[in-house]
């Protein structure tokens, strides 16, 4: 493999997803071709129902494509079994969700540790990484809190830490700021951008928020399940 | 470990529901344990009293004696036989008996009787003979032409302690057998028929009267616990190894009594089944609700790389932890209740009942392994079984769809 292909972290070709809504077919994604390269900081925007969530789910293997193919780090997702897919996600993708989706019974530290535990990292390694990432998301001293004792912004920072701590190559975030006020949302985005630049991880996130869009390096606009514009700013 | 930690903490999320679920399992467990322990205890108690009264736990006869008793189907050299039996594990005591029929006269009254020759010391060790004597005294240890009469027979013959009784019967050699005995005691055998027909003699007197030359008709054995009867029967059979002799447990000797006990015992197993059903429905309800509620969470766990097997275990562990808590608490309460019930018992309705001449007023529980083990298996197994389906469903959740749920 040459270097250029190696740089292609996400490759979508002719990707379609059709749902059946009580027998009526709903074409959520109608044919998307897209290449995202290493280190990009990309926003996917578009009106409600345009297929942002669906597309993110397709490129992370959470949802199978109806047509077309998705390659992540050169691996074809549709060729993997359920178990392989979940291991692949664990090792390659960090997720951030709109509704935080932390494990409510685990403390901040345990939530962040979770994926590393699945990966079987040593206790020492885990501890070091948790300390480091907590500092990076500015949550020192919160390690032993339960999620419901945190503000929305703090929770989402834990989610960012959880997504990044296992050093995945891709961070996918579906409307990570939708539940936050705009100031907190902007702060979170700045923090993500910062981490993107220091770690070189690839970020793809969807959003509705104009202020958030401005912070993106590349802006992909979806409309009715298709890409209507795709521009990269310098 | 991680899965277990989450499962454990999940238990505290819906405290009310967890409490009710544990209560269902614990309640089912305790009810089952107490009903089995009580039924076993009560029946074993009845069987114990019944077998200890006369029957014994195991009997040995000459082949065919039980079906058609005759004077001639005898056991020879019972002392040697007894010496062998004594050494068998769990055997507590044995005693020889001689049976025949005869006519007894006291004064001008005459009645048909069942002559029973017993070894006074051994009989008392085996079936507690002496405490049943209600008037007079027990036999002397050696033969002294003494007789003990059933209290009903004494009434028929208008006999009292100190009177002379003359018996006429037939010896094994065909001769007319007759002799005179002093009535030394009256006995309450337990049931009316025995009381009206029993004429006890010292075994040596009976042997001489009937010209049996030391041969006997029946050997009665008791063991230390009802649970050991089957094993001891087998052991005895093996070690005496004589095709001429029949070794039979009380279940065979007293078939109708045994059947009556069996029929009643089934009731407690039906109640166990009903309890399993209640536990199963209760647990199923909880697990289904939990899985439905946490669908989104399972979706997230799957998304971030948790395998389906771990989700399955997460659901199963949660139920298992609740089941274990229920069993532990249930065992503690059941043991305590059974212990108290084994001491104080529960009175039977209508002042109890009579069986085979023995009056039973109270049912006493028994603490045995099965009364804890059966409910443990029942509760754990039914809880696990009903959880499998919801757990598989949780494991199979499609993450994308699950996370769209609210
Ligand atoms: N599981 C499904 N079954 C049926 N229809 C679905 C399913 N998932 C998504 N859809 C439909 O697909 C279309 C795209 O949905 P999607 O959630 O991807 O849009 P979105 O851009 O993320 O919207 P929003 O901004 O509201 O989150 C919508 O019309 C939605 O109703
Ligand atoms: Mg969406």
């Amino acid at each position: 493999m040459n270097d250029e292909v190696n740089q292609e972290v996400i490759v979508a070709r002719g990707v379609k997803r059709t749902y059946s809504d009580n027998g009526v077919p709903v074409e959520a994604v109608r044919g998307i071709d897209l290449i995202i390269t290493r280190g990009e900081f990309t926003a996917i925007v578009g009106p409600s129902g345009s297929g942002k969530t669906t597309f993110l789910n397709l490129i992370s293997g959470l949802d199978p494509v109806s047509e077309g193919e998705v390659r992540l780090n050169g691996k074809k997702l549709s060729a993997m079994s359920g178990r392989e897919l979940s291991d692949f996600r664990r090792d390659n993708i960090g997720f951030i969700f709109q509704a935080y989706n932390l494990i409510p019974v685990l403390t901040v530290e345990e939530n962040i540790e979770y994926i590393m535990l699945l990966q079987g990292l040593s206790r020492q390694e885990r501890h070091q990484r948790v300390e480091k990432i907590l500092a990076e998301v500015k949550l020192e001293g919160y390690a032993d809190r339960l999620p419901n004792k945190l503000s929305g912004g703090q929770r989402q920072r834990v989610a960012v830490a959880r997504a990044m701590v296992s050093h995945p190559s891709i961070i996918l975030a579906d409307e990570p700021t939708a539940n936050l006020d705009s100031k907190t949302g902007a702060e979170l985005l700045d923090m993500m951008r910062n981490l993107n630049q220091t770690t070189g991880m690839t970020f793809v996130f969807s959003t509705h928020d104009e202020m958030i869009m401005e912070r993106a390096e590349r802006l992909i606009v979806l409309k009715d399940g298709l890409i209507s514009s795709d521009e990269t700013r310098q | 470990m991680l899965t277990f930690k989450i499962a454990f903490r999940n238990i505290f999320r819906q405290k009310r529901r967890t409490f009710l679920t544990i209560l269902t399992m614990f309640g089912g467990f305790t009810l089952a344990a107490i009903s089995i322990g009580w039924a076993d205890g009560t029946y074993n108690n009845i069987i114990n009293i019944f077998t200890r009264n006369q029957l014994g736990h195991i009997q040995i006869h000459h082949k065919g004696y039980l079906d058609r008793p005759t004077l001639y189907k005898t056991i020879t050299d019972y002392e040697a036989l007894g010496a062998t039996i004594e050494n068998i594990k769990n055997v507590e005591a044995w005693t020889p008996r001689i049976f025949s029929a005869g006519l007894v006269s006291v004064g001008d009254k005459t009645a048909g009787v069942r002559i029973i020759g017993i070894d006074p010391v051994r009989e008392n060790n085996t079936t507690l003979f002496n405490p049943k004597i209600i008037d007079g005294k027990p036999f002397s240890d050696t033969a002294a032409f003494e007789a003990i009469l059933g209290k009903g027979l004494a009434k028929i013959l208008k006999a009292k302690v100190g009177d002379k009784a003359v018996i006429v019967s037939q010896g094994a050699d065909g001769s007319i057998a007759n002799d005179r005995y002093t009535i030394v005691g009256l006995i309450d055998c337990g049931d009316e028929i025995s009381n009206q027909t029993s004429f006890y003699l010292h075994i040596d007197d009976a042997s001489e009267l009937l010209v049996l030359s030391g041969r006997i008709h029946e050997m009665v054995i008791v063991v230390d616990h009802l649970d050991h009867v089957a094993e001891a029967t087998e052991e005895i059979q093996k070690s005496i190894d004589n095709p001429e002799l029949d070794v039979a447990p009380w279940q065979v000797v007293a078939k109708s009594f045994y059947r009556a006990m069996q029929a009643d015992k089934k009731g407690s197993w039906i109640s166990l089944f009903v309890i399993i059903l209640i536990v199963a429905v209760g647990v199923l309800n909880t697990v289904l609700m939990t899985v439905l509620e946490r669908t989104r969470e399972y979706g997230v766990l799957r998304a971030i790389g948790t395998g389906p097997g771990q989700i399955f275990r997460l659901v199963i562990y949660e139920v298992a932890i609740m089941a274990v808590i229920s069993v532990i608490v249930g065992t503690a309460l059941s043991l305590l209740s059974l212990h108290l019930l084994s001491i104080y018992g529960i009175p039977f309705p209508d002042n109890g009942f009579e069986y085979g001449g023995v009056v039973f007023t109270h049912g006493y529980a028994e603490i045995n392994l099965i009364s804890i083990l059966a409910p443990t298996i029942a509760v754990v197994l039914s809880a696990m079984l009903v959880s499998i389906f919801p757990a598989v469903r949780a494991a199979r959740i499609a993450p994308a769809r699950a996370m769209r749920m609210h």
Side-chain angles (χ1 to χ4, degrees):
Chain A
M1 261 197 242
N2 62 44
D3 259 9
E4 202 168 318
V5 173
N6 233 340
Q7 290 301 309
E8 293 175 350
V9 184
I10 302 167
V11 178
R13 286 212 187 91
V15 166
K16 291 187 185 174
R17 182 65 166 106
T18 309
Y19 294 110
S20 155
D21 189 5
N22 290 322
V24 184
V26 180
E27 292 187 291
V29 169
R30 298 194 293 149
I32 290 183
D33 292 288
L34 182 68
I35 292 173
I36 289 175
T37 53
R38 191 163 305 282
E40 274 186 26
F41 197 69
T42 303
I44 297 179
V45 302
S48 184
S50 58
K52 302 181 295 292
T53 298
T54 304
F55 184 63
L56 285 175
N57 287 342
L58 293 175
I59 60 176
S60 57
L62 287 180
D63 200 9
V65 295
S66 304
E67 261 180 63
E69 95 171 36
V70 176
R71 281 176 187 277
L72 241 66
N73 291 333
K75 296 262 278 192
K76 193 173 162 185
L77 295 187
S78 58
M80 286 189 244
S81 72
R83 176 79 227 196
E84 283 172 329
L85 259 179
S86 72
D87 284 355
F88 185 83
R89 280 198 299 269
R90 180 192 71 197
D91 297 336
N92 293 277
I93 310 172
F95 286 95
I96 302 166
F97 307 96
Q98 172 181 343
Y100 324 125
N101 288 340
L102 300 173
I103 303 163
V105 294
L106 297 184
T107 63
V108 167
E109 173 163 14
E110 288 165 339
N111 262 287
I112 296 173
E113 256 191 320
Y114 186 85
I115 296 165
M116 295 189 289
L117 270 164
L118 293 182
Q119 287 174 324
L121 296 189
S122 75
R123 186 192 183 82
Q124 195 192 356
E125 175 76 16
R126 294 194 315 260
H127 194 72
Q128 277 175 3
R129 289 208 205 173
V130 169
E131 292 244 300
K132 184 159 174 278
I133 199 90
L134 277 177
E136 280 167 352
V137 298
K138 302 192 175 56
L139 282 174
E140 301 107 317
Y142 287 86
D144 296 326
R145 291 250 189 137
L146 284 173
N148 62 6
K149 298 273 164 12
L150 297 176
S151 73
Q154 288 170 330
R155 285 187 213 185
Q156 204 59 311
R157 267 146 53 206
V158 177
V160 171
R162 175 177 71 180
M164 297 187 64
V165 75
S166 58
H167 303 327
S169 50
I170 309 154
I171 304 284
L172 294 180
D174 191 10
E175 308 206 28
T177 60
N179 283 14
L180 305 175
D181 62 73
S182 55
K183 181 167 163 285
T184 316
E187 278 168 12
L188 186 87
L189 245 286
D190 288 339
M191 193 183 83
M192 281 165 58
R193 176 69 171 137
N194 209 347
L195 288 164
N196 160 253
Q197 281 172 337
T198 52
T199 62
M201 281 184 215
T202 310
F203 279 69
V204 180
F205 57 94
S206 71
T207 184
H208 271 121
D209 192 330
E210 302 276 339
M211 216 162 79
I212 303 299
M213 288 177 215
E214 282 165 19
R215 288 175 158 77
E217 181 186 71
R218 179 178 176 190
L219 197 67
I220 296 168
V221 182
L222 288 192
K223 215 177 152 196
D224 293 333
L226 290 171
I227 293 177
S228 72
S229 89
D230 179 355
E231 52 186 275
T232 305
R233 288 172 289 197
Q234 242 53 51
Chain B
M1 212 37 232
L2 178 64
T3 312
F4 185 83
K5 191 200 288 185
I6 298 176
F8 183 76
R9 292 189 193 169
N10 273 344
I11 286 172
F12 300 97
R13 283 168 76 177
Q14 294 282 343
K15 291 197 184 69
R16 222 176 98 93
R17 189 153 73 208
T18 300
F19 177 74
L20 288 175
T21 311
I22 290 179
L23 199 68
T24 308
M25 289 196 268
F26 153 80
F29 178 95
T30 310
L31 276 174
I34 292 176
S35 80
I36 293 172
W38 192 72
D40 277 6
T42 303
Y43 291 121
N44 283 348
N45 185 39
I46 292 174
I47 292 165
N48 257 327
I49 292 174
F50 190 74
T51 50
R52 283 283 181 160
N53 185 48
Q54 242 253 310
L55 185 63
H57 294 137
I58 302 165
Q59 294 191 352
I60 304 177
H61 302 94
H62 190 276
K63 213 166 188 55
Y65 182 86
L66 269 182
D67 296 329
R68 248 171 55 84
T70 79
L71 191 58
Y72 308 102
K73 293 177 182 164
T74 53
I75 303 170
T76 45
D77 201 2
Y78 72 85
E79 287 287 355
L81 188 62
T84 310
I85 290 166
E86 244 164 36
N87 290 323
I88 289 167
K89 210 173 94 191
N90 301 322
V91 168
E92 230 176 36
W94 61 272
T95 191
R97 286 174 189 163
I98 289 173
F99 297 104
S100 189
L103 274 178
V104 170
S105 309
V106 176
D108 58 355
K109 299 274 178 200
T110 300
V113 298
R114 187 177 197 221
I115 301 164
I116 308 167
I118 58 164
D119 176 332
V121 177
R122 286 190 175 122
E123 187 69 39
N124 189 46
N125 286 342
T126 312
T127 64
L128 308 176
F129 186 80
N130 294 350
K132 289 184 285 195
I133 294 171
I134 50 168
D135 195 7
K137 65 169 189 70
F139 283 116
S140 313
D141 288 355
T142 51
F145 290 98
E146 294 167 335
I148 290 178
L149 273 61
K151 63 176 188 182
L153 179 63
K155 213 173 195 174
I156 294 168
L157 294 171
K158 296 209 174 357
K160 53 187 193 307
V161 172
D163 287 352
K164 302 288 181 192
V166 175
I167 190 155
V168 182
S169 183
Q170 193 191 21
D173 60 351
S175 63
I176 299 284
N178 62 2
D179 233 319
R180 230 163 68 106
Y181 303 90
T182 307
I183 299 168
V184 293
L186 304 184
I187 189 168
D188 184 354
C189 308
D191 66 302
E192 211 173 329
I193 295 175
S194 298
N195 277 336
Q196 288 175 358
T197 58
S198 294
F199 186 84
Y200 285 97
L201 292 176
H202 191 287
I203 192 160
D204 294 342
D205 281 342
S207 185
E208 202 183 308
L209 172 74
L210 301 166
V211 203
L212 282 168
S213 339
R215 287 169 290 162
I216 60 162
H217 296 114
E218 182 171 281
M219 175 88 121
V220 172
I221 299 147
V222 292
V223 295
D224 59 351
H225 195 278
L226 283 174
D227 290 346
H228 297 139
V229 170
E231 191 191 337
T233 306
E234 218 169 283
E235 277 301 307
I236 291 169
Q237 212 140 27
K238 244 193 289 174
S239 54
I240 64 177
D241 190 30
N242 184 343
E244 291 292 287
L245 297 182
D246 252 348
V247 183
W250 65 269
Q251 290 96 325
V252 172
V253 179
K255 276 197 192 84
S256 59
F257 170 71
Y258 175 60
R259 279 201 208 102
M261 291 290 106
Q262 283 310 96
D264 278 2
K265 235 177 161 176
K266 270 188 197 117
S268 70
W269 291 97
I270 292 169
S271 71
L272 182 69
F273 180 75
V274 170
I275 284 159
I276 290 174
L277 220 66
I278 295 169
V279 168
V281 170
V283 173
L284 181 65
N285 181 48
T286 300
V287 187
L288 281 177
M289 251 156 74
T290 305
V291 166
L292 194 70
E293 241 172 44
R294 302 201 183 136
T295 297
R296 192 191 165 80
E297 213 168 297
Y298 298 138
V300 174
L301 289 174
R302 291 284 286 115
I304 64 176
T306 311
Q310 269 163 297
I311 303 287
F312 178 84
R313 287 203 298 277
L314 187 60
V315 177
I316 294 289
Y317 285 172
E318 199 173 329
V319 180
I321 293 167
M322 291 193 281
V324 166
I325 293 173
S326 310
V327 166
I328 291 172
V329 181
T331 302
L333 188 76
S334 303
L335 288 179
L336 181 71
S337 314
L338 286 175
H339 178 67
L340 292 177
L341 283 177
S342 72
I343 297 172
Y344 301 107
I346 299 176
F348 290 123
D350 308 326
N351 297 321
F353 61 92
E354 194 194 303
Y355 196 99
V358 187
V359 177
F360 299 95
T361 55
H362 284 66
Y364 294 93
E366 180 177 293
I367 297 178
N368 54 17
L369 191 62
I370 193 83
S371 62
I372 298 299
L373 203 62
T376 301
I377 293 171
V379 165
V380 172
L381 214 66
S382 57
M384 294 292 95
L385 273 178
V386 298
S387 306
I388 288 176
F389 165 71
V392 166
R393 245 179 60 157
R396 286 220 184 126
I397 271 169
R401 183 175 315 175
M403 285 190 297
R404 277 184 195 272
M405 298 223 227
H406 296 287

